[in-house]
Amino acid sequence: MSADHVLSLSDVDGGYGEVQVLDDLTLHLDAGEIVCLIGPNGAGKSTVLKTAFGMLTPWEGSVTYHGRDISGMAPENIVREGIGYVPQTDNVFGSLTIDENLRMGGVARKDGLESVMRDLYDRFEILREKKSAKARTLSGGQRQVLAFARALVMEPDVLLIDEPSAGLAPNTADEVFEDVQAVNDMDTAILMVEQNATKGLGISDRGYVLDQGTVRFEGTADDLLDNEEVSQLYLGG
């Protein structure tokens, strides 16, 4: 893989315990991109993100960030390197206020916390309006915005997002996808898993279709959306 890629998984085998999920998987993310991972349940999409974030160590192959091997590095160190992660569930602290959630996201910062928080409040107005509210009082879409913002407190140049529209009403999901694009506009490259493949690819530059732990198709988002086989097998076309 080229060192020009901001994030690469190369020839990765991996999984949980003795259960293999990823099988010789290779993909990459370039600076400024949104890349969407789609595929059936159990294809290994979330496992890719967990492997990239150090929650799982590859059995074989490697994870590189700006050309440096970070395979198996602890998540707290990966955050400091410049990679953020927004899991699908349990991605905010419900008993804490919005402001407290954001500060928790910045515990590893040595300086500049107040400045970056001001910038995030300017970017996501709903958070500023509700900064003293407990996170558990937020709507599903607002919680996702908070989860994005909390991950951005460390100013990552890569953000891994798992199923941002999961469980949301269609209108709310559309708003969350707009927020994903807003995050991308902050010079943050995004590797995103999304079950709503059409919507996910609709805001992405490129995509990968995973099946049984390996890449079945890859290409520009438009090419995947126009691919008849991809449409029939994975997009419900």
Side-chain angles (χ1 to χ4, degrees):
M1 285 302 226
S2 167
D4 293 333
H5 302 314
V6 65
L7 180 69
S8 301
L9 282 77
S10 303
D11 307 315
V12 169
D13 292 348
Y16 306 86
E18 297 182 357
V19 179
Q20 183 170 357
V21 178
L22 303 182
D23 181 10
D24 197 29
L25 179 135
T26 294
L27 55 80
H28 70 270
L29 176 70
D30 290 335
E33 284 191 310
I34 301 178
V35 171
C36 188
L37 306 182
I38 66 172
N41 289 334
K45 304 183 297 296
S46 295
T47 304
V48 168
L49 300 190
K50 291 175 181 177
T51 302
F53 195 63
M55 298 170 73
L56 298 170
T57 300
W59 302 351
E60 300 287 344
S62 64
V63 180
T64 58
Y65 175 64
H66 290 292
R68 178 187 173 205
D69 193 334
I70 60 167
S71 307
M73 183 182 287
E76 58 267 28
N77 293 327
I78 285 179
V79 167
R80 293 186 180 96
E81 289 289 321
I83 300 176
Y85 173 55
V86 181
Q88 179 182 341
T89 58
D90 299 325
N91 54 18
V92 299
F93 297 106
S95 62
L96 300 181
T97 67
I98 285 173
D99 200 72
E100 289 167 339
N101 266 274
L102 293 181
R103 291 181 185 280
M104 286 287 288
V107 292
R109 285 193 71 104
K110 292 185 172 64
D111 52 43
L113 178 59
E114 300 304 325
S115 175
V116 75
M117 286 184 61
R118 282 195 300 271
D119 289 344
L120 289 170
Y121 280 134
D122 287 344
R123 173 70 68 163
F124 301 110
E125 229 172 271
I126 187 64
L127 300 184
R128 185 174 62 217
E129 292 171 4
K130 294 176 173 283
K131 66 186 294 186
S132 298
K134 300 287 189 186
R136 64 169 173 261
T137 67
L138 300 179
S139 68
Q142 291 167 350
R143 284 190 183 207
Q144 283 290 50
V145 173
L146 176 57
F148 296 161
R150 197 181 68 177
L152 292 171
V153 173
M154 291 297 293
E155 298 182 283
D157 64 356
V158 169
L159 191 60
L160 312 171
I161 306 177
D162 197 358
E163 299 274 14
S165 75
L168 301 180
N171 287 347
T172 303
D174 287 343
E175 293 173 2
V176 166
F177 285 128
E178 290 176 7
D179 290 322
V180 171
Q181 290 177 293
V183 170
N184 181 242
D185 289 341
M186 299 167 71
D187 296 323
T188 306
I190 292 173
L191 183 62
M192 171 178 68
V193 168
E194 181 49 54
Q195 198 62 37
N196 187 330
T198 302
K199 290 281 191 182
L201 289 171
I203 65 165
S204 298
D205 299 291
R206 294 188 301 112
Y208 293 91
V209 182
L210 271 58
D211 203 344
Q212 297 183 358
T214 197
V215 174
R216 178 81 183 273
F217 298 92
E218 62 181 285
T220 68
D222 288 342
D223 285 346
L224 292 177
L225 287 168
D226 291 340
N227 184 303
E228 187 174 337
E229 188 174 2
V230 170
S231 178
Q232 289 179 348
L233 290 175
Y234 304 104
L235 304 182

